Amino acid sequence: SKRAVEYVARTLASRRGFKICLACFLLTLPPMLLEFGGAEDPKKERQLDRELHTEQQQWIATARKKAQPALNWACAALRTAGLPASSLTTQFSDPAREQSSVSGEIIELARTNKCRTIVAGRRALPGLRRPTGGHALTENCVHEGRGITLGILDGPGVTSGPATRRQVRGRP
């Protein structure tokens, strides 16, 4: 979210020694691209599978192209704040990959990139406001993200309180 980028820019302006991974979480694939009805003939099945995969990749490429300007803006804002280009990377989620939850994907991306802190804005991830499977997305991130500090921006500052930070770090 714009607010999250501005917060990180203010907090880390001109500092060195930080790596920032800007992640864009694409929407899930439309239902018609999730699977096909199958075929009795194995040759036809493989052909349909290849066609589905091609259509999924085209959909993902289009979604990335639409999202790229926002990532470009975020990189430019962080560079303007004084962060070196070498400290910035961008990454997209993979909607074709099966993931049990959005929170799981966020945490996995953070762990893959060796992130110690996640900063997100509520507007960027609507799931941060609505319950998912009986738990809010933020609560799931807290439970799944031991060792990772989580900051959710809601208004002018970070709303994660001391209890949330303790839980994220794996303490009672």
Side-chain angles (χ1 to χ4, degrees), residues 3-4 8 10-11 19 28 34 60 63 67 79-80 90 92-93 96 99 101-102 113 127 135-136 150 162 172:
R3 187 175 295 163
V8 170
R10 280 192 315 273
T11 304
K19 296 282 185 188
T28 57
L34 293 177
I60 291 169
R79 291 282 298 121
T80 300
T90 60
F92 290 97
S93 65
Q99 182 59 252
S101 68
V102 174
N113 288 287
H135 298 284
L150 176 65

Side-chain angles (χ1 to χ4, degrees), residues 114-126:
K114 297 181 173 77
C115 298
R116 293 182 292 186
T117 304
I118 297 170
V119 178
R122 287 186 186 270
R123 288 188 185 150
L125 293 170

Side-chain angles (χ1 to χ4, degrees), residues 25 97-112 115-116 118 127-128 131-150 163-171:
F25 291 89
R97 210 176 117 253
E98 288 189 32
Q99 182 59 252
S100 60
S101 68
V102 174
S103 58
E105 189 168 1
I106 291 169
I107 297 302
E108 182 179 325
L109 186 64
R111 291 198 193 291
T112 299
C115 298
R116 293 182 292 186
I118 297 170
L128 291 172
T132 53
H135 298 284
L137 180 56
T138 50
E139 291 170 5
N140 288 342
C141 283
V142 167
H143 293 293
E144 296 174 29
R146 294 197 185 281
I148 299 173
T149 301
L150 176 65
T164 301
R165 288 176 188 240
R166 276 195 302 274
Q167 290 171 352
V168 170
R169 291 193 177 125
R171 295 185 217 133

